[in-house]
Amino acid sequence: MNRSLVNSLGSIKRELVNFSHSQKFYFVLVAMAIVAIVPLFVRSDYVIGEVLTPMIIFAIYASSWNLLASSGQASLGHAAFLGIGGFASALLAIKLGLPPLIGLFLGSILSAAIGLLIGLACVRLKAWFLAMVTFGFSVIIVTLISQFDSVMGGIMGFPTPLLVPRGVPFYYMTFGFAAISILIMYLVMKSKIGLTFRAIHQNELEAKMIGINTGKYRLIAFVLSTFFAGLAGGLYAQSIRYIQVSIFDPYYSFLPLMMAVIGGLGTIEGPIIGSAIIVSIESYLPRIDPVLQGFLHPLFPSVSNVGPPLRMLGLGLFLVVVVIFAPKGVAPLIKKAYNYLRSSTSEEKT
Amino acid sequence: MITTSGLIETLLWGVANGCIYILLATGLNIIFGVMKLVNFAHGQLLMIGAYIAFAAATALGLNAYIAILVAMGLVALIGVGLERFTFRKVLGTEKLNEIFVSLGLIYVFENVAVLLWGNRSQQIASPFQGLQLSLGEVSIGYDRLLAISVVIVILIALFLLLKKTKIGLAMRATSQKSTASMLMGVNIEKVYIFTFALGAALAGAAGALYGIIFPFNPSIGALPTIKAFAIIILGGLGSIPGAVIGGLLYGIAENTAVYFLGGIWQDAIAFALLIIVLVIRPTGIFGEKGE
Amino acid sequence: MQKKLIIALIAAIVVIAVVVAGWQLTQLPSPEARSIKIGLVACYEKAEGQDMDRAAKLAVKEINDAGGVYVAEWHTSVQIELVIADTEDDTPGKAVGPVTRAVTEDQVDLLIGGYTSAGTLADEVVAIDERVPYIITGASTSLVTRRGPQANYGGLPEGDPLRIDDEEGMSYVFHYCTTTADYSKTVVNFFAETMKPLLDSTYEFDASRKLRLAILYRDDAFGKGVAADSKSIIENNNLPIDVVAERSYPTTATSFQTDLTAIKAAKPDAVYVVDFIANTAEIIKEGQRDVGLNTVYIAVECCEDPAYYTLLGEYGDKQLLESKFAPYAGPPFYLETIETYVTNYQQEYDTLPGMMGADTYDAFYIAKDAIERAGTVDKAAVRDAIESCAIDQMLIITETGKIEFSVGTDYHEIAPVTFVEQLIWNEDVGECRSKIVYPATAPGVGELKQADFVLPTAYEPGSP
């Protein structure tokens, strides 16, 4: 087992080297530079703090879900780990007086540890059962935290201590965490470990037959995924400056799924694109709610504000449509458009 | 404080609740057994069934129990639509797509219900509302007794359908080995449509009954889905008798747990049960039929 | 000589004209004048949020139609522009964003609203940090204004993260609403002072017998808060009440028979139901219809809403409701302002108003008064003006008959008077209507009680 671990690490190192020489590397560098200088152009506190920062945090969260799904394990209760990360990092910083950075890491590690336990429970389960168990876990954890309310204070919730000041510093810190996290996840997915995940996903029986210890790799996927989900949770709790049991709501379990699938399941850019799309929709579409209400009220008299249900309906339809008609998500479509533009401009040159 | 009459009433309610779950679980089971498909939005069909029955009862002034048939019919149609336009497209593709489509459908159904009927709780007015059958200190509402009876009737009809009719035979054949049945001339597509419609109709009936006994709103679909799954796992994926026994057991267990431990455990019970069973036996207590 | 007189006269006229013109110029509306933006923080997913929306729009319409708000600094009256901050389900994750947008993007001058305790504790931080006056008309926890130094951190222990040290920022938050302690106090006092004597005389109980109370509540901050406050008030005041049963259920529950059966086994004299409209109505119906728990049920004031009366139907007959705003207990109403509001609301929206909207409606008038007295929309000045508010009570009765915010340890709270109503089935209307049964009087109103409390028809007392 040690040898295969060494092999895997070696393959990650090779991937890192390969990547740094590839064309994609420069593309990513440019993208990162753009994200880095955005605050210089965008002056609005609201946009930086409530739109862009959550986009980055959910990119981490969606990527973590994506990593797990690439091994064929679609979790419907990832919010449990988002919340564990959030609560753990906040409580460790507050109750034990640990510096928030340590709290953040310990919170992620705790999330991964619990992820290991849940992963163990799910190791032999088929996709549908695993989905139900993970969803069930996200419900049970709310009951548990509510029972221990005197220690955790989750029912009323409480403010979270900040690592860095809000606004631009927090944006850059989140960006830093995201860059490192997504890089790690990318390398894992490209390496032999990632290949093994995909093999298990494709056909678990065949994978077993060629000697892959599917249980071990499924657990690795769980631990890695829940670590980053916990990290995203700690960051999210800081971004809204509050943590409460509502972080375990099913909505937060469905979000990373929607983002990853709409963006492009199994790819590395998919969850990032998905996060950008969905956070934009949730942040900006509400502005047209009064207009919608004005037009549509006669059609839907039982609702005071047609905006939110229409929006959720739209997201649900979006997901269904993407899965049926564009199962590879939006990312490949963007790639196609990009390639088309590139090829048409290069044609012009010749 | 625990009294005998209280306990008996709790058990009776458990049976009545369990019957509704049985319908839902059986619908899910049939769809899985024949199509090997898992629809997480199944509970939303229950919710839509409740609303359709409600609309039929209020707009057309139908008797609550006649409205059950309307609900069954319309939800079956919706099921046909679902099968044709969504699930059929993802059957055979990447395994997880069913899960993703179901999830999207959950949001679609819930929000359509919110738009059409609003968030407020509704309940279907039954002509037997408030009437109770009393045996000594124990009393149970007529509506609950009727619910049990309706479920029994539907289950008998289902049994006859599966055992005695051509389509039932085709369904059973497909659930055993779909390639073999194709070779034998069974029109798989037709079987799939019919199966999904049947499963949906059962969910619609469950919803109509639910709406008579309990107040409902657009978000009541989620928990019954989990409970239906817990029952199927208890009883064995694909096994209808298993779903019946599992449903009864589950209804009783849930109610009794709430009686002794308090309401907070109502939802968590389903999940705890689910997780424990799955960890011990990943194929369910009675094992899976056909894979 | 004559020439000099004429020149002097002309000079005088010119001087007077210049002075008058100059004075007139300073009285022209300042070019800075603009409409006042008030942000409404409401959760439109719930009926209560929709009631707040209607009440807010009614208040804004009334104020604008009457000319708007006079801002001395600008020498003119301006209109109020309502900015909606829809917090959807008012969980902290969804509440903070809209409020942040209202404050930083829409640049509101003032915020009104708030619904759940957790959501408001989270979103008020935006107002505190940005120094925007926030009149909270929801949130049952007193911590919203007591978490700062002025209220000695509301009893929160040192190191508790809910504490806020920003004294200046905390001064911008006001709580125009009742707290869980307010409701519990009225309810348990009613049981001790009015119901127990009636039970004792009707059933010939010994005076030393304590009233048997069961508490059935939703398992969240609100339900737990009320249950805890009720018990502590009973204990601290040595009230003759025994809490014989206490059951809670998850917030997602829609059916309560099992809990009711367990309560029935405890043989209570009364049941205190702590939940919102839909569940409370369901509990009271199931209790009587399905479980045979024929006792008297008392609901919390957030059930004071048309939807509640409709859902309850006949099962509400002789049941109780603790309230602070009773649109159904009249006409004639105990306060003229209520009559006017109910009439106007009904005319505008074809439905009766609820309780959440009443606080919100008043808050707009508090804001108008504050801005006019401050003479400016400068937020610090408006904050000071709200703190010194002394307008007559409007839809909520106060202990002094005026709307006044305390500066003691009950920092920036008002002293509301809450009362208990009994619902009576009204055949003509097809719904219950209510009458106030406790307390007998209230300052600023005089006689408050409208009818005597009677036991429900099928009432069965608890075990003696």
Side-chain angles (χ1 to χ4, degrees):
Chain A
M1 188 186 102
N2 274 336
R3 206 160 60 106
S4 73
L5 204 61
V6 168
N7 276 350
S8 305
L9 287 173
S11 87
I12 292 180
K13 198 171 135 209
R14 269 197 301 283
E15 283 309 318
L16 185 56
V17 172
N18 279 348
F19 176 60
S20 60
H21 290 152
S22 72
Q23 196 195 36
K24 251 196 186 163
F25 185 59
Y26 295 104
F27 184 71
V28 167
L29 226 51
V30 168
M32 281 175 64
I34 294 178
V35 176
I37 62 171
V38 150
L40 298 177
F41 295 103
V42 176
R43 288 271 145 219
S44 159
D45 273 343
Y46 170 73
V47 175
I48 293 187
E50 306 293 326
V51 182
L52 296 175
T53 307
M55 262 189 212
I56 299 178
I57 295 176
F58 280 105
I60 304 177
Y61 184 41
S63 299
S64 79
W65 187 91
N66 188 41
L67 183 66
L68 188 61
S70 73
S71 68
Q73 307 184 89
S75 153
L76 288 188
H78 232 49
F81 303 102
L82 189 76
I84 290 174
F87 269 100
S89 60
L91 284 172
L92 286 170
I94 293 171
K95 301 269 165 144
L96 299 184
L98 295 175
L101 188 66
I102 310 275
L104 198 58
F105 276 119
L106 288 182
S108 313
I109 291 177
L110 182 66
S111 172
I114 296 181
L116 178 64
L117 289 175
I118 299 295
L120 277 170
C122 292
V123 144
R124 291 184 293 167
L125 297 180
K126 299 240 187 309
W128 324 289
F129 290 146
L130 186 142
M132 280 288 109
V133 167
T134 48
F135 182 72
F137 178 58
S138 75
V139 171
I140 292 184
I141 202 165
V142 174
T143 312
L144 283 175
I145 292 199
S146 305
Q147 292 290 69
F148 290 106
D149 193 45
S150 45
V151 177
M152 311 201 88
I155 296 185
M156 183 80 96
F158 52 88
T160 50
L162 296 180
L163 207 59
V164 296
R166 308 190 66 222
V168 176
F170 190 71
Y171 173 84
Y172 281 120
M173 179 189 83
T174 312
F175 177 47
F177 275 117
I180 299 173
S181 308
I182 294 180
L183 179 67
I184 296 177
M185 286 192 259
Y186 170 72
L187 293 173
V188 168
M189 280 178 76
K190 275 287 204 152
S191 72
K192 259 180 68 177
I193 300 180
L195 197 60
T196 316
F197 288 164
R198 283 194 291 285
I200 298 176
H201 182 187
Q202 285 280 44
N203 194 323
E204 187 164 1
L205 204 56
E206 272 181 26
K208 276 196 193 146
M209 290 206 284
I210 61 174
I212 296 179
N213 183 343
T214 58
K216 181 177 96 174
Y217 281 92
R218 287 176 75 153
L219 279 178
I220 293 178
F222 243 98
V223 169
L224 284 173
S225 169
T226 52
F227 177 83
F228 288 113
L231 179 66
L235 291 170
Y236 179 69
Q238 289 191 25
S239 92
I240 56 167
R241 292 192 290 169
Y242 207 81
I243 184 84
Q244 195 240 0
V245 288
S246 58
I247 199 173
F248 297 108
D249 281 351
Y251 173 74
Y252 294 104
S253 285
F254 297 160
L255 269 185
L257 185 153
M258 267 197 234
M259 291 172 177
V261 172
I262 287 178
L265 188 65
T267 65
I268 197 69
E269 65 272 13
I272 302 175
I273 295 177
S275 169
I277 293 177
I278 292 190
V279 172
S280 306
I281 291 178
E282 293 280 72
S283 303
Y284 288 109
L285 226 47
R287 305 231 179 159
I288 62 168
D289 283 353
V291 176
L292 283 176
Q293 180 65 11
F295 278 126
L296 296 174
H297 183 71
L299 266 175
F300 303 120
S302 319
V303 196
S304 244
N305 189 358
V306 293
L310 267 181
R311 214 168 37 249
M312 288 316 299
L313 174 62
L315 280 178
L317 274 176
F318 196 1
L319 181 63
V320 173
V321 164
V322 163
V323 172
I324 296 178
F325 296 108
K328 295 223 186 295
V330 166
L333 298 177
I334 296 183
K335 262 196 217 159
K336 266 194 215 166
Y338 173 69
N339 285 337
Y340 179 74
L341 287 169
R342 275 191 70 210
S343 63
S344 59
T345 49
S346 61
E347 262 170 41
E348 270 182 20
K349 282 184 180 166
T350 54
Chain B
M1 278 189 19
I2 301 161
T3 61
T4 338
S5 62
L7 204 55
I8 297 180
E9 278 176 353
T10 306
L11 282 170
L12 283 175
W13 286 329
V15 169
N17 291 0
C19 283
I20 296 181
Y21 294 140
I22 288 175
L23 278 188
L24 197 65
T26 307
L28 202 58
N29 236 346
I30 288 178
I31 296 178
F32 178 77
V34 175
M35 299 171 71
K36 304 290 173 286
L37 180 104
V38 158
N39 175 18
F40 284 128
H42 199 66
Q44 272 62 36
L45 291 174
L46 177 150
M47 181 267 294
I48 294 279
Y51 272 106
I52 292 180
F54 173 73
T58 47
L60 303 175
L62 287 179
N63 178 301
Y65 288 91
I66 312 271
I68 298 178
L69 294 169
V70 177
M72 285 177 81
L74 286 177
V75 177
L77 278 176
I78 294 178
V80 170
L82 278 186
E83 196 278 333
R84 275 213 76 212
F85 296 114
T86 55
F87 284 108
R88 188 184 301 183
K89 308 271 168 107
V90 297
L91 263 180
T93 64
E94 136 97 68
K95 244 189 333 189
L96 302 178
N97 282 346
E98 286 163 24
I99 298 179
F100 302 149
V101 164
S102 312
L103 227 66
L105 288 173
I106 292 177
Y107 275 103
V108 170
F109 281 123
E110 271 192 31
N111 288 288
V112 165
V114 169
L115 286 171
L116 291 179
W117 292 291
N119 263 318
R120 300 221 164 155
S121 283
Q122 313 277 14
Q123 193 158 0
I124 305 175
S126 152
F128 304 107
Q129 207 157 51
L131 295 174
Q132 305 247 328
L133 181 69
S134 301
L135 298 160
E137 277 221 1
V138 174
S139 58
I140 183 159
Y142 275 139
D143 284 320
R144 283 205 157 69
L145 288 173
L146 272 172
I148 299 178
S149 325
V150 168
V151 170
I152 294 177
V153 166
I154 293 181
L155 286 176
I156 294 176
L158 186 69
F159 175 76
L160 291 172
L161 183 95
L162 287 176
K163 285 272 190 279
K164 306 278 184 188
T165 65
K166 249 174 66 176
I167 188 79
L169 184 62
M171 283 169 64
R172 281 186 293 136
T174 315
S175 80
Q176 296 297 335
K177 281 262 182 273
S178 65
T179 28
S181 13
M182 258 203 302
L183 289 172
M184 291 175 57
V186 173
N187 185 338
I188 296 284
E189 256 185 43
K190 278 224 177 73
V191 171
Y192 280 178
I193 294 180
F194 185 79
T195 304
F196 209 97
L198 184 61
L202 289 171
L209 285 173
Y210 186 101
I212 295 175
I213 300 181
F214 303 114
F216 60 91
N217 58 62
S219 33
I220 54 128
L223 287 169
T225 310
I226 313 295
K227 296 176 184 178
F229 268 96
I231 292 166
I232 292 182
I233 286 161
L234 267 181
L237 210 60
S239 152
I240 293 182
V244 174
I245 298 175
L248 285 174
L249 279 177
Y250 181 79
I252 295 175
E254 181 188 57
N255 255 36
T256 323
V258 169
Y259 187 71
F260 286 110
L261 299 174
I264 328 175
W265 289 98
Q266 191 174 32
D267 302 337
I269 282 286
F271 298 112
L273 206 63
L274 201 64
I275 293 181
I276 293 172
V277 170
L278 283 178
V279 168
I280 303 175
R281 258 183 79 93
T283 49
I285 286 188
F286 293 99
E288 276 180 55
K289 274 211 191 153
E291 233 290 73
Chain C
M1 221 355 221
Q2 232 184 345
K3 221 163 111 181
K4 270 200 192 147
L5 206 57
I6 296 174
I7 293 173
L9 217 54
I10 295 176
I13 294 173
V14 168
V15 166
I16 293 175
V18 167
V19 168
V20 168
W23 181 85
Q24 289 254 331
L25 265 176
T26 64
Q27 293 310 300
L28 274 178
S30 155
E32 294 169 348
R34 54 163 176 80
S35 58
I36 295 173
K37 290 194 187 164
I38 299 188
L40 177 68
V41 183
C43 67
Y44 284 70
E45 230 175 66
K46 303 255 166 58
E48 293 85 342
Q50 294 164 19
D51 181 39
M52 287 166 79
D53 170 76
R54 291 193 284 263
K57 290 183 174 151
L58 182 63
V60 169
K61 179 166 176 290
E62 284 176 3
I63 295 175
N64 285 347
D65 286 347
V69 180
Y70 182 72
V71 182
E73 189 179 52
W74 297 333
H75 313 304
T76 181
S77 287
V78 292
Q79 302 273 284
I80 297 180
E81 188 190 315
L82 195 61
V83 173
I84 311 268
D86 179 0
T87 57
E88 289 182 54
D89 60 10
D90 211 52
T91 53
K94 302 257 179 70
V96 173
V99 174
T100 308
R101 192 174 66 227
V103 168
T104 59
E105 298 275 289
D106 299 307
Q107 306 269 314
V108 293
D109 297 298
L110 200 134
L111 287 165
I112 292 179
Y115 182 59
T116 63
S117 295
T120 311
L121 284 170
D123 67 41
E124 69 169 358
V125 174
V126 179
I128 291 170
D129 283 352
E130 303 291 326
R131 314 290 196 246
V132 176
Y134 187 5
I135 305 178
I136 297 174
T137 56
S140 58
T141 175
S142 52
L143 280 176
V144 292
T145 48
R146 293 202 198 182
R147 65 198 289 200
Q150 299 98 330
N152 207 10
Y153 304 104
L156 290 169
E158 175 128 18
D160 191 307
L162 277 168
R163 280 185 163 211
I164 288 189
D165 287 313
D166 183 358
E167 188 166 348
E168 167 78 18
M170 282 304 300
S171 70
Y172 284 83
V173 189
F174 297 85
H175 199 188
Y176 186 70
C177 188
T178 43
T179 61
T180 55
D182 291 322
Y183 339 138
S184 316
K185 193 175 71 178
T186 304
V187 168
V188 300
N189 282 331
F190 164 79
F191 282 131
E193 291 171 31
T194 305
M195 180 158 179
K196 177 170 143 56
L198 182 62
L199 277 183
D200 289 349
S201 65
T202 312
Y203 295 98
E204 286 169 15
F205 291 145
D206 191 71
S208 62
R209 174 191 187 273
K210 294 196 183 181
L211 185 139
R212 301 169 67 86
L213 182 65
I215 309 181
L216 180 58
Y217 59 97
R218 66 186 276 122
D219 194 37
D220 68 358
F222 172 56
K224 288 179 137 155
V226 173
D229 282 340
S230 304
K231 289 192 299 185
S232 69
I233 294 174
I234 292 174
E235 207 182 287
N236 294 341
N237 296 301
N238 269 320
L239 294 176
I241 301 177
D242 256 339
V243 178
V244 299
E246 212 185 311
R247 306 261 314 184
S248 71
Y249 49 82
T251 58
T252 47
T254 51
S255 174
F256 311 89
Q257 278 122 355
T258 316
D259 285 308
L260 284 165
T261 310
I263 288 182
K264 182 174 165 189
K267 300 209 198 334
D269 292 323
V271 179
Y272 190 3
V273 183
V274 190
D275 203 328
F276 301 112
I277 301 166
N279 288 350
T280 307
E282 184 56 26
I283 288 171
I284 296 180
K285 283 201 299 204
E286 281 182 14
Q288 296 172 71
R289 181 187 66 197
D290 300 330
V291 177
L293 181 54
N294 296 318
T295 178
V296 71
Y297 299 83
I298 185 164
V300 208
E301 57 179 51
C302 46
C303 294
E304 183 73 80
D305 184 279
Y308 181 64
Y309 291 86
T310 313
L311 278 172
L312 261 188
E314 273 187 41
Y315 291 98
D317 190 40
K318 309 287 190 327
Q319 301 306 328
L320 299 167
L321 176 59
E322 174 264 320
S323 178
K324 64 179 182 221
F325 168 68
Y328 283 82
F333 292 100
Y334 50 96
L335 211 56
E336 207 186 282
T337 44
I338 297 189
E339 170 117 35
T340 323
Y341 175 66
V342 171
T343 317
N344 292 343
Y345 191 104
Q346 245 182 323
Q347 230 173 10
E348 188 82 19
Y349 302 111
D350 207 27
T351 177
L352 280 161
M355 181 269 308
M356 284 301 293
D359 293 81
T360 309
Y361 178 85
D362 283 359
F364 278 87
Y365 280 94
I366 295 175
K368 169 177 185 286
D369 165 76
I371 296 174
E372 287 182 341
R373 274 186 302 115
T376 169
V377 290
D378 170 66
K379 299 183 175 77
V382 172
R383 177 241 1 228
D384 290 335
I386 299 177
E387 203 176 75
S388 58
C389 180
I391 58 178
D392 286 331
Q393 62 193 4
M394 296 184 64
L395 297 177
I396 310 296
I397 318 177
T398 63
E399 279 174 18
T400 58
K402 294 208 178 285
I403 298 179
E404 286 164 325
F405 291 98
S406 156
V407 291
T409 44
D410 48 348
Y411 188 65
H412 281 187
E413 286 175 17
I414 51 167
V417 170
T418 57
F419 44 83
V420 176
E421 297 167 276
Q422 183 159 40
L423 275 60
I424 312 284
W425 172 250
N426 184 323
E427 194 67 51
D428 306 321
V429 185
E431 271 184 7
C432 287
R433 289 293 178 260
S434 56
K435 291 261 168 267
I436 299 177
V437 295
Y438 174 88
T441 60
V445 171
E447 182 78 25
L448 189 58
K449 186 165 121 167
Q450 296 170 322
D452 284 322
F453 165 64
V454 297
L455 293 169
T457 330
Y459 181 76
E460 288 161 23
S463 140

